[in-house]
Amino acid sequence: MARGELMKKLLASYGRDDEFRAVAEQIIDEEEKKNNRVLARSLRKTLEAAPSRPPRPRGLAPLIPFPEAAGDFIELVEPVHTKQDIVLSLENVRVFIGLMKEFRRTDDIRRRGLPVRSKLLFCGPPGCGKTLCAEIFAAELGLPLYIVKLDRLISSYLGETATNVRKIFEFARKQPCVLFFDEFDALARARDDGGEHNELRRVVNSLLIFIDRITPKGFLVAATNLDQSLDAAVWRRFDEVIWFDRPDRRGVERFLNMKFKNVAISFDPISHAAELEGYSYAEMDRISVQAIKAAVIDMRKDVRESDFREALADERRRKHGSARLAQPT
Ligand SMILES: Nc1ncnc2c1ncn2[C@@H]1O[C@H](COP(=O)(O)OP(=O)(O)OP(=O)(O)O)[C@@H](O)[C@H]1O
Ligand SMILES: [Mg+2]
């Protein structure tokens, strides 16, 4: 094939690992035929050293339609964030890289009779990245993200809940995806509350059994911010527990740098880092967005110290207010 055509094919195969490698092999063969042995050898060495890209099931296979009846409590979420948008502890970065590598070698690992970690529990206070991370993790793996609204599922008509639970798990067995159980604590609560309500207890227990038995085609992720109220029976069902803590000083600084990276500013956000200790990422996000918006509203190019101060004062007032609301009367 003419060199130009091969180049076109190579570019067109971008993102599809197998096709890319096949075209690259063809180019190397052509060079060999043309007696350009040194070049061919060097190209082959480069190709062999290049890491394989993960499979991208989303691009290759159409999504299995989700059972319609389940539409009320399960949602396909399109990713809008990337890994540039999240601050993670180094420890968590290491855990996620490990999980992704493991996922990409699932077949090899299972062939050796070894288990693959695929059921993850995300723990931590509100607004510290559990949902955000599930979204980015799925996107990084090229897997669709399905969010299961557990509280809705549990409170739906009980007779149907059992059927719906079964449908969800059948789906996750076939469709490579990240199946995300948000507010997993609803389950633990329901188990406790279900005292005299045998049917509810039965449904919750059957959900736990399903989680136990399933070998997901991707990942099953559950998120909770009530670490203590989950009993041991729940913990041991997960292959990995990942903690999303409130940011420490370094986390605050990393977040501010990330948030104001592409924004014109006439102050140093880092000078507020000490005041922000104890705030969640979601709260810091709200302050930053509010400050940036103030500049837009005033039709100014840059965000000023006063914008940030006011936004911080607003958040303090809100936090204070919510603390007052939370106090027993
Ligand atoms: N680690 C983080 N890095 C950067 N931004 C974050 C982080 N955590 C949270 N945020 C910001 O806060 C928002 C809310 O976070 P998220 O929904 O992930 O919280 P959560 O831990 O799931 O909370 P909840 O327990 O209430 O469900 C995100 O959309 C993002 O703007
Ligand atoms: Mg969440």
Side-chain angles (χ1 to χ4, degrees):
M1 202 185 289
R3 199 191 181 95
E5 283 304 306
L6 275 175
M7 289 298 170
K8 260 201 258 173
K9 254 180 114 175
L10 187 72
L11 293 181
S13 71
Y14 178 76
R16 291 188 297 273
D17 198 44
D18 291 345
E19 210 172 309
F20 171 81
R21 280 173 190 271
V23 181
E25 288 285 354
Q26 247 178 303
I27 292 177
I28 295 169
D29 284 349
E30 299 263 312
E31 292 304 325
E32 259 169 0
K33 270 188 219 144
K34 283 192 251 161
N35 247 343
N36 295 333
R37 294 224 177 82
V38 180
L39 175 62
R41 209 177 309 130
S42 146
L43 288 176
R44 176 150 290 130
K45 239 174 137 181
T46 311
L47 182 64
E48 276 162 11
S52 276
R53 284 173 64 94
R56 294 228 160 229
R58 223 186 304 210
L60 296 178
L63 296 181
I64 299 171
F66 195 78
E68 224 173 84
D72 282 349
F73 47 77
I74 188 156
E75 189 189 351
L76 172 64
V77 176
E78 286 300 327
V80 289
H81 296 97
T82 71
K83 58 183 177 192
Q84 323 304 341
D85 300 317
I86 192 166
V87 176
L88 284 177
S89 67
L90 289 179
E91 205 174 22
N92 283 358
V93 169
R94 193 182 54 77
V95 173
F96 281 112
I97 290 176
L99 287 166
M100 288 201 254
K101 282 188 182 162
E102 203 167 311
F103 174 71
R104 284 165 194 159
R105 291 280 169 263
T106 296
D107 292 345
D108 298 333
I109 296 171
R110 293 224 169 104
R111 225 175 282 130
R112 300 277 302 268
L114 300 167
V116 173
R117 288 174 298 170
S118 60
K119 296 175 211 174
L120 319 176
L121 182 62
F122 288 5
C123 290
C128 288
K130 300 181 292 297
T131 306
L132 179 65
C133 188
E135 181 200 319
I136 296 169
F137 183 54
E140 281 289 305
L141 289 164
L143 294 175
L145 171 70
Y146 289 92
I147 298 191
V148 182
K149 313 267 181 205
L150 256 186
D151 46 352
R152 274 205 222 160
L153 176 68
I154 291 170
S155 61
S156 66
Y157 176 61
L158 284 172
E160 276 174 19
T161 307
T163 323
N164 289 336
V165 167
R166 193 159 4 90
K167 277 186 193 156
I168 293 179
F169 281 94
E170 269 165 23
F171 175 75
R173 232 191 299 271
K174 288 187 226 142
Q175 169 72 57
C177 67
V178 171
L179 188 66
F180 185 63
F181 288 85
D182 214 353
E183 298 177 41
F184 197 65
D185 14 289
L187 200 125
R189 262 198 312 270
R191 211 150 88 124
D192 294 343
D193 297 349
E196 75 286 8
H197 209 322
N198 280 340
E199 177 69 7
L200 184 59
R201 229 164 212 279
R202 210 173 57 76
V203 167
V204 170
N205 284 337
S206 75
L207 196 89
L208 288 176
I209 291 170
F210 269 118
I211 293 180
D212 228 4
R213 294 207 184 134
I214 194 178
T215 306
K217 270 230 157 148
F219 287 88
L220 188 156
V221 180
T224 174
N225 41 45
L226 301 171
D227 45 335
Q228 271 108 10
S229 69
L230 288 179
D231 58 31
V234 174
W235 285 97
R236 72 174 164 72
R237 289 183 158 85
F238 292 93
D239 305 319
E240 197 61 75
V241 178
I242 300 163
W243 295 92
F244 292 80
D245 295 315
R246 280 179 195 277
D248 56 10
R249 178 65 172 268
R250 182 81 194 102
V252 172
E253 291 178 1
R254 283 171 64 200
F255 179 85
L256 291 172
N257 280 331
M258 179 187 87
K259 208 65 205 175
F260 287 95
K261 193 173 56 191
N262 299 316
V263 179
I265 41 177
S266 60
F267 74 110
D268 178 15
I270 301 300
S271 67
H272 291 278
E275 290 169 275
L276 287 170
E277 271 186 82
Y279 282 76
S280 70
Y281 287 102
E283 288 163 342
M284 290 198 294
D285 190 68
R286 208 157 37 218
I287 295 167
S288 310
V289 167
Q290 223 28 58
I292 297 167
K293 254 167 37 186
V296 175
I297 292 167
D298 281 356
M299 296 199 286
R300 267 185 279 114
K301 281 212 186 84
D302 56 342
V303 182
R304 295 178 186 162
E305 178 93 44
S306 54
D307 299 326
F308 196 86
R309 268 190 202 294
E310 269 170 42
L312 181 56
D314 270 346
E315 190 61 37
R316 274 210 190 104
R317 181 185 44 75
R318 183 184 164 129
K319 226 170 136 76
H320 190 62
S322 63
R324 213 166 18 196
L325 284 176
Q327 277 191 3
T329 47

